Amino acid sequence: MPTVTFPLTYLQRLTSTAPEQLAQQAFDYGLDATLGEHTLEVEVTAERPDLLAAEGFTRAINIYNGLPRTVPNQLLASGRRVTVRPEVLPLRPHIAALVVRGADLQGGGLEVLVQFQEKVTQTFGRQRKKIAIGVYDLDKISGDLTYAAESLDQLTFVPLHSTQPMTARQILHEHPAGKTYGHTLSGNDYALVLRDASGTVLSMPPIINAAGVGEVDANTRNLFIDVTGILAQTVLETANILTHNFLDTGAEVQTVEIVTPQGTLTTPSLAHRSVQFSAKYLNEIMGTAIPKSGLGQVLSRMDLEVSGTDVVHVPTYRTDIFSQVDLAGDLLVAIGIGTLQAEPLAVKFHLGEADALRQAMFKVGDLAQRMGLMEVKSFVLTDPEILDLFGASYVQTGNAKSRTFSATRTTLQAGLLDILARNINAPKPINIYETGEVLRFKTANAPDESQHWSFASLDARASFTTAKAYMQTMLKALGLSYELTTCHAPYYLPGRAATVLINGQPVGEFGEIHPQVLEHFSFPEPVCAGELDCTAGLLAASERRR
């Protein structure tokens, strides 16, 4: 989370709350604050960019303390216009702007503004890729402005903190700001430029301001500020936050007309957003019993205005409020977590018991290891090409990133054969087993999940007898009564496979793998395998005992 440092002398211009109380109230507000000798260091959560400004922080504390705040219903027009040229649309299409008159940047005001500009563009703005802020001396700007794109070799101006003109290409390769933020324009032969009516360059967004008009000091009273970016909503939200910051210092903020190829809009805006809420929902999620009529008073501590019984009006600097879930978080801060009282509960204790099927699968795994089999694990999603060898219908995902993992397995044998194929050069014999869930269609469009045990053996002596020994040993160890019948599955060698029946129901199979399947995996030696549906087998056995 970003950390900002506010000078105490500047904070005292914005709030009457003592520094010691500021640190404590910041904690009550959900922020981590450390009070120094001359500064207050605040760790701000990522969803509240407005708190990165000293004005935003003190605004939150003042409103939290119930102090009134006066904001005009609407902003006056500045008479300024920014025309957006079509060539900027593929590069950095969105811009918002505002005019500030009567700004007071003395006594730490300039440092706080620069800190907000850097912090919000580094974090919220993703290193100026998402948004960037430019601040200029309004008194040095002539007429309306143009936001355009020019060739890197043709755009020439004196960048901030320099004395000699440089081309845009030179700035990107030689100037410290160009080296740091040049990635925002990477791969383009054009640079963005903001000019006034006389053709004077204000800046090369989002890299650097021009010297002269782009130089602002503590004595500058009138400002022109632009916000450029790749997302319209983010650009407008940042301009709105800046507006509230300057209004809280007593400055006058005026709007700017933005003329784009798609139409005209006016920025910034003070129009509140409406968010629907349910008093019942908020009380249930918070464990409170605040009446509808009382919610307005509580939420007003977060600068949220309740209208009627189901709508909250959110100011434009609150970019973190999207739904009533966010309102619930603000409600917790407003009432104070320390005010919530624990209620005695009638706690009842119940003794649980292990799932019978899961315990049975633990036993199956233990028995398999006692037979000398090594446990392996494959993925539930597997290659449909392998499953096609086994013939059963399977469920396939519609947006798989890889075909290799795009179908739900219908048998564990597919995964075991794939594992044997990947270890084909390992010393023989290789005797492995796996327990896990498979998904099969018992009826049309009705997949059923069950727990299976499967084994496979890659060995020159692997045969039907080997597979039968493994299966019969497992069945007898589990105490299951069974019958064997001929298995005609196409992936087994004809006449060398059997189906396991319990209470007349097929619950398993085993045998020698068919040569065509062996050829698919390039096995040099015979493979025998088998599989037992433990869910169906144990269920059939329990019904038989009844």
Side-chain angles (χ1 to χ4, degrees):
M1 292 187 291
T3 300
V4 286
T5 303
F6 302 134
L8 292 178
T9 53
Y10 187 74
L11 293 180
Q12 293 305 298
R13 288 172 47 184
L14 303 172
T15 181
S16 59
T17 305
E20 296 78 10
Q21 291 179 316
L22 278 177
Q24 177 58 45
Q25 291 186 346
F27 177 80
D28 296 338
Y29 201 83
L31 305 174
D32 187 11
T34 303
L35 181 62
E37 185 176 357
H38 302 291
T39 61
L40 182 68
E41 187 178 274
V42 182
E43 189 173 341
V44 179
T45 53
E47 77 278 5
R48 291 293 302 270
D50 58 298
L51 298 178
L52 293 171
E55 297 85 2
F57 173 72
T58 53
R59 178 194 314 128
I61 297 301
N62 287 340
I63 295 174
Y64 189 74
N65 290 333
L67 299 179
R69 177 174 182 252
T70 303
V71 179
N73 294 326
Q74 61 182 11
L75 302 173
L76 298 177
S78 66
R80 301 278 180 160
R81 174 184 298 177
V82 177
T83 301
V84 179
R85 298 296 186 191
E87 60 266 22
V88 309
L89 300 182
L91 303 176
R92 197 176 182 89
H94 303 292
I95 183 171
L98 58 139
V99 166
V100 181
R101 297 188 183 275
D104 185 0
L105 301 181
Q106 296 183 345
L110 179 61
E111 290 77 8
V112 167
L113 173 61
V114 172
Q115 177 181 237
F116 173 77
Q117 180 184 12
E118 291 301 316
K119 289 289 185 179
V120 78
T121 55
Q122 295 296 319
T123 56
F124 194 57
R126 302 291 189 269
Q127 299 287 329
R128 299 191 187 179
K129 181 69 175 179
K130 193 175 179 181
I131 57 166
I133 300 173
V135 183
Y136 317 94
D137 188 339
L138 178 66
D139 297 332
K140 298 178 182 179
I141 298 176
S142 301
D144 294 332
L145 292 86
T146 303
Y147 180 45
E150 299 180 15
S151 169
L152 291 177
D153 297 312
Q154 293 180 354
L155 175 58
T156 303
F157 65 97
V158 180
L160 200 63
H161 306 310
S162 297
T163 57
Q164 298 298 321
M166 301 176 69
T167 66
R169 190 178 301 276
Q170 288 175 323
I171 292 174
L172 292 178
H173 290 90
E174 299 175 16
H175 197 281
K179 294 179 180 179
T180 303
Y181 303 111
H183 67 278
T184 59
L185 298 176
S186 60
N188 296 306
D189 292 326
Y190 292 88
L192 301 167
V193 60
L194 192 63
R195 293 181 183 269
D196 66 8
S198 66
T200 301
V201 174
L202 276 69
S203 68
M204 186 175 80
I207 308 301
I208 194 170
N209 283 8
V213 65
E215 294 178 301
V216 174
D217 57 33
N219 296 317
T220 306
R221 297 283 292 168
N222 301 318
L223 305 172
F224 180 88
I225 301 177
D226 76 77
V227 182
T228 62
I230 58 177
L231 297 175
Q233 180 180 349
T234 308
V235 168
L236 294 175
E237 288 175 346
T238 305
N240 293 336
I241 291 174
L242 284 163
T243 299
H244 284 275
N245 291 348
F246 281 105
L247 288 175
D248 285 340
T249 64
E252 180 185 2
V253 180
Q254 298 175 342
T255 63
V256 176
E257 192 176 70
I258 310 295
V259 181
T260 72
Q262 292 82 15
T264 302
L265 69 152
T266 301
T267 65
S269 172
L270 295 179
H272 286 63
R273 292 183 294 110
S274 296
V275 175
Q276 297 283 334
F277 79 97
S278 164
K280 179 181 178 182
Y281 172 83
L282 293 180
N283 279 312
E284 285 180 350
I285 198 172
M286 296 305 304
T288 55
I290 304 174
K292 289 183 179 181
S293 57
L295 278 175
Q297 182 179 358
V298 178
L299 289 176
S300 65
R301 299 189 70 189
M302 308 301 292
D303 205 13
L304 302 175
E305 179 185 346
V306 177
S307 176
T309 59
D310 60 354
V311 175
V312 166
H313 298 291
V314 182
T316 52
Y317 70 85
R318 289 297 304 272
T319 61
D320 59 313
I321 302 294
F322 298 98
S323 68
Q324 60 180 349
V325 175
D326 303 308
L327 295 177
D330 269 24
L331 181 62
L332 175 61
V333 176
I335 62 179
I337 192 171
T339 64
L340 298 179
Q341 300 296 323
E343 297 181 0
L345 300 176
V347 180
K348 297 181 179 180
F349 295 94
H350 302 274
L351 293 177
E353 58 182 18
D355 180 73
L357 180 58
R358 181 173 294 274
Q359 291 298 105
M361 296 310 297
F362 287 148
K363 182 178 180 181
V364 168
D366 181 63
L367 293 171
Q369 292 180 33
R370 294 187 184 189
M371 287 189 282
L373 299 172
M374 180 175 62
E375 184 179 21
V376 296
K377 284 293 181 183
S378 60
F379 294 106
V380 175
L381 289 178
T382 187
D383 191 339
E385 184 178 350
I386 298 178
L387 292 179
D388 288 339
L389 298 172
F390 293 85
S393 299
Y394 50 80
V395 177
Q396 192 162 7
T397 58
N399 59 343
K401 298 297 183 182
S402 170
R403 176 176 171 82
T404 307
F405 304 102
S406 64
T408 56
R409 62 188 181 188
T410 57
T411 173
L412 297 180
Q413 294 179 79
L416 293 181
L417 294 183
D418 185 49
I419 291 173
L420 288 177
R422 296 175 185 275
N423 295 274
I424 205 166
N425 295 320
K428 311 297 186 302
I430 305 177
N431 303 316
I432 58 177
Y433 82 94
E434 181 177 5
T435 58
E437 61 277 1
V438 302
L439 201 65
R440 287 183 174 179
F441 285 94
K442 293 296 180 69
T443 59
N445 300 323
D448 180 71
E449 182 180 301
S450 56
Q451 291 288 329
H452 284 213
W453 168 71
S454 182
F455 66 89
S457 176
L458 173 60
D459 186 6
R461 297 172 295 177
S463 64
F464 173 79
T465 303
T466 306
K468 181 180 179 181
Y470 282 131
M471 183 61 74
Q472 285 188 324
T473 301
M474 178 60 70
L475 292 169
K476 291 180 179 179
L478 293 174
L480 300 177
S481 299
Y482 63 92
E483 298 176 1
L484 300 180
T485 186
T486 303
C487 178
H488 300 287
Y491 41 89
Y492 290 130
L493 196 62
R496 304 291 293 172
T499 298
V500 179
L501 302 177
I502 296 180
N503 200 22
Q505 300 294 324
V507 298
E509 59 190 16
F510 60 90
E512 297 180 25
I513 298 299
H514 196 282
Q516 290 182 349
V517 179
L518 296 179
E519 182 180 358
H520 176 84
F521 289 100
S522 301
F523 286 126
E525 298 173 325
V527 175
C528 67
E531 188 160 353
L532 178 64
D533 184 343
C534 297
T535 302
L538 294 174
L539 178 61
S542 64
E543 291 178 349
R544 184 172 184 175
R545 294 189 186 100
R546 293 174 188 172

